Structures are given as C-alpha cells and as structure tokens.
Amino acid sequence: MAGFRSPSSGLRTPRPAAFGADPTGERMARIRRSPHFRDGVFQNPGGTARTRPSGSAREFAKIYFDRESRLRRAPRGPIPVHATTLADLARPPATGLRLTWMGHSSVLAEIDGRRVLFDPVWGERCSPFPFAGPKRLHPVPVPLAALGPVDVVVISHDHYDHLDMPTIKALAGTDTLFAVPLGVGAHLEHWGVPADRLRELDWHESTRVAGLTLTATPARHFCGRGLRNTQHTLWASWVVAGEEHRVYHSGDTGYFDGFRDIGAAHGPFDATMIQLGAYSRFWPDIHMTPAEGLRAHLDLQGGAPAGVLLPIHWGTFNLAPHAWAEPGEWTKDAAGEAGQAVAFPRPGEPFEPAGEVPVEAWWRAVSEPVAHAWRRPRSAGDVTGTGVGDLDLAGER
C-alpha cells in the first residue's frame, strides 16, 4: 500500500493500491492543455452533468433497501452462462467480426483478424476491497488466462466496474497494449503496466494498433476511485475501425446530442455496445435507460435502424434500484417497436452480427415478471416510422 497525507491532520494513512494513482508531471501538464479540462476538472459535453445523486437520500434509501425492491434486483436462480470454450474463440469468425459479451461492460471483439478486449472486469466485486461492494451475480464465463492473446485492451473510464485492478495486473504480464482515456494511464502504470504499452487519448484523438484505428470519443459521465474525486481522469466512448468492420463501445454515459456527431464522423457501425443498465431518476445525466440507449444507437447509425445493438452494463452487478432483468426486457420491446436488431447473448456466448444473432429472452427463466411501464401511447405527431417516438426517454427510473 502507498500512503497519502490527510488534509486535516497532516498524518499519512494507508491508501489501498486499488485506488490507483493521481496524474502528475507531464501527464498532468497534458491534462491541463486539454480543451475539455477547465476550472481544474474535466468537463462533460455541453457543460457539467450532475454526477451526484439528486433528490432525497431518505427517498433513495427507502427504495433501494425496500425488501420487495431488493428481491427484484437479483435473479431468482442461477443466470445461464454460456460455457465458453477455447474452441469457440480459436476458430476465426466467418464474417470477420465476432462479439463475446463476458458480462456487464466487458466484451471481447474479434475484428478483421485482431482481438480487442473492452473494460475487462474479472474480479468478484467491483470495489477497492475484496470483502465489500457489489458482488457478481454470475461467474465469469471463461478464465482470463484461457482467453488467448489480445491485441489491445480498451478502458472507458476508471470506475471500479470498468477498471479492475486484479484484471489489469494479470493483463500487465502479457504483451497486450492498453488504450485508455487521458489520465487513466496513471492507474495502470501504478499497477505495473509499462508506459510504452499505453496509448492515452483525449477525445477525438486516434491511435493505430495492429492495423486497427482506435478513437476516443465523447461521453457524458465522470470519474474517480479514491476518497477524493479530483476529476483529473477522462471518461470516453470508443470507436474501433478495421479494414472491413467498425464497432462502437459507449462506456458509461448519459444520453446527449453528441451521438449524432460521433455517428457522422465514424459510422455507420456493424455493431454498437451500448450502456443501458444501472439507470435511475436519481442520476439521470450519467447513465441511459433502454429507451435512451436505443435512441443513442439510432443516432450513431444516422437516425435509422442499422447494424446490431448489444446491450451492456446490465445483468452482472446490482448497481441501481431497477429490477435485475428490466434492461433486457425493456430493450427487447423498444427495439422491436423500432425495428432495430438487438443481440441478447447469454454471458460468454459468442455471436457474429452479420450471422445468426441471439434473440431469446433468456432472463425470463430466472426473473420475476417485469412491468412495462416505460411505454407511452403513440402520439399523433409521430411520423418517423421507427417507433422511437413512442418511447419515454426519461424512462420509468
């Protein structure tokens, strides 16, 4: 453990290694030069979003700790996990693009002969401590060591459910490169990743890795791992483009108009991996509901159904008051009304967006019934033909 100085007492107290490290030196100088860093902190698109829960703490606690609510936030039986085998991952994808959702926001993307691992979290808890914090609701589908070589690991931001110290330390012992938002490299170096294996990007910057172009794109979120949230590390969504295919990973984000700009600059996409779980009316600016996630996908694709949407950031950790299976159920309905293809793989189940896409609502076998209160009646003015006008973007959070 390193130590840090208490601002009140001047004494040094233990600092868990999982807190990572704050940017310093040339890294901090580069952060200060960023056009997205102002008044000592990184700024969200369009200004600072609310990053702390709004409303009454008592009201939130009443909802979160209500017994019936707690029961709905967990599956009532074992989540069906696909037994991913080495053979599944060793055989090249016939179409050139294959995605394997490992749970939450962790996705292995095999694209044009290269392998990209997004937000790998193989730990048992998303927490700085092994004995406390949100625990996995299902096992990891495949051991990290059995995953095989990875060309690049992409990190969206430094929250514990996206940046897991034990996982990074394990990957540090391989030859993989790491693409991270500006400032996040300080954590990885602290955990043993050599500086020459880091590609640290500001929004709109790109890097080339093994024939792929990786671009950090804006997102509407925030950062922080320690007791002091300095907002000195950036958060990002990511575009990965190969010779034939391109994909988008949203990281964590609230809905904002910038999805249209990202789509215009880098799309359309063969597949998008969109955060649409762990939403709440208590933090509407930093996470998306299923309706917002669908709208983001359509924005990225130029406004019309195209490609395949893979929902992420749901099903693995209990991080919000909504029912465990609600993101899957609501997304299935919303996408069906919009005519948009959505993949619903079991954790660990590989699929090719241009091939047979898994669509079974597998969560229903282990979930309490989910209400569909997110719908609004079709308005007379909805002439888009996509059905998205029927959706309440605020959601039933």
Side-chain angles (χ1 to χ4, degrees):
M1 282 188 178
F4 71 92
R5 187 174 298 277
S6 167
S8 58
S9 67
L11 298 176
R12 296 184 71 85
T13 56
R15 172 183 173 126
F19 280 9
D22 295 328
T24 58
E26 176 53 33
R27 179 177 276 118
M28 192 63 214
R30 187 181 168 204
I31 288 170
R32 291 194 179 101
R33 293 194 298 269
S34 168
H36 310 110
F37 190 79
R38 190 173 67 252
D39 300 328
V41 296
F42 277 111
Q43 303 289 324
N44 268 302
T48 302
R50 286 175 290 173
T51 60
R52 298 300 180 197
S54 60
S56 161
R58 170 181 282 186
E59 182 185 5
F60 175 77
K62 181 179 179 181
I63 294 171
Y64 196 81
F65 294 107
D66 174 75
R67 183 177 182 277
E68 184 177 342
S69 173
R70 283 190 288 114
L71 290 175
R72 292 189 302 113
R73 293 202 310 273
R76 63 185 183 190
I79 294 174
V81 174
H82 179 81
T84 313
T85 66
L86 188 58
D88 285 333
L89 303 177
R91 182 176 59 255
T95 63
L97 176 64
R98 180 168 59 207
L99 302 179
T100 307
W101 179 52
M102 299 295 178
H104 202 57
S105 295
S106 303
V107 182
L108 175 66
E110 298 167 272
I111 176 170
D112 297 340
R114 301 300 182 180
R115 307 176 95 225
V116 182
L117 186 58
F118 291 97
D119 283 358
V121 174
W122 259 249
E124 190 64 19
R125 296 181 185 273
C126 49
S127 165
F129 309 109
F131 53 84
K135 190 175 182 181
R136 282 187 166 275
L137 298 175
H138 65 78
V140 179
V142 60
L144 191 63
L147 201 58
V150 172
D151 292 287
V152 59
V153 173
V154 176
I155 303 296
S156 65
H157 64 297
D158 69 359
H159 286 159
Y160 288 94
D161 56 325
H162 297 259
L163 180 61
D164 179 55
M165 182 186 71
T167 304
I168 297 300
K169 283 190 167 185
L171 290 166
T174 70
D175 294 330
T176 190
L177 299 179
F178 294 82
V180 303
L182 192 55
V184 174
H187 298 312
L188 274 64
E189 282 194 60
H190 187 62
W191 300 330
V193 177
D196 62 3
R197 283 169 49 199
L198 289 172
R199 305 292 183 268
E200 201 162 341
L201 307 183
D202 202 346
W203 290 342
H204 309 299
E205 292 182 341
S206 298
T207 188
R208 291 277 291 176
V209 175
L212 301 175
T213 299
L214 293 85
T215 305
T217 46
R220 189 173 176 85
H221 201 57
F222 69 113
C223 64
R225 294 179 71 85
L227 298 176
R228 295 178 297 114
N229 191 350
T230 61
Q231 299 294 297
H232 287 174
T233 64
L234 189 59
W235 47 95
S237 56
W238 287 88
V239 172
V240 177
E243 292 183 2
E244 301 292 335
H245 298 88
R246 57 186 56 220
V247 298
Y248 171 85
H249 188 285
S250 71
D252 274 3
T253 181
Y255 179 80
F256 69 114
D257 291 342
F259 292 115
R260 299 188 189 97
D261 298 328
I262 295 170
H266 302 284
F269 300 98
D270 298 281
T272 69
M273 296 156 268
I274 302 288
Q275 172 268 310
L276 42 68
Y279 46 84
S280 170
R281 63 184 172 87
F282 292 98
W283 48 84
D285 295 337
I286 56 173
H287 281 174
M288 292 191 290
T289 66
E292 290 168 323
L294 175 62
R295 174 61 62 84
H297 171 89
L298 295 175
D299 286 353
L300 290 161
Q301 302 290 41
V308 174
L309 163 62
L310 172 62
I312 60 172
H313 205 266
W314 76 286
T316 302
F317 297 107
N318 181 351
L319 301 176
H322 63 66
W324 166 74
E326 190 175 278
E329 195 70 36
W330 288 10
T331 302
K332 191 171 183 66
D333 278 359
E337 292 183 3
Q340 172 59 52
V342 180
F344 292 108
R346 292 166 175 79
E349 180 181 2
F351 74 95
E352 300 188 31
E356 185 176 350
V357 175
V359 296
E360 180 189 353
W362 51 264
W363 56 86
R364 290 176 182 166
V366 292
S367 168
E368 299 294 331
V370 176
H372 290 200
W374 58 272
R375 286 181 174 149
R376 287 197 310 203
R378 179 182 294 274
S379 70
D382 178 28
V383 294
T384 64
T386 66
V388 179
D390 303 343
L391 305 181
D392 179 359
L393 291 186
E396 185 68 20
R397 308 180 201 239

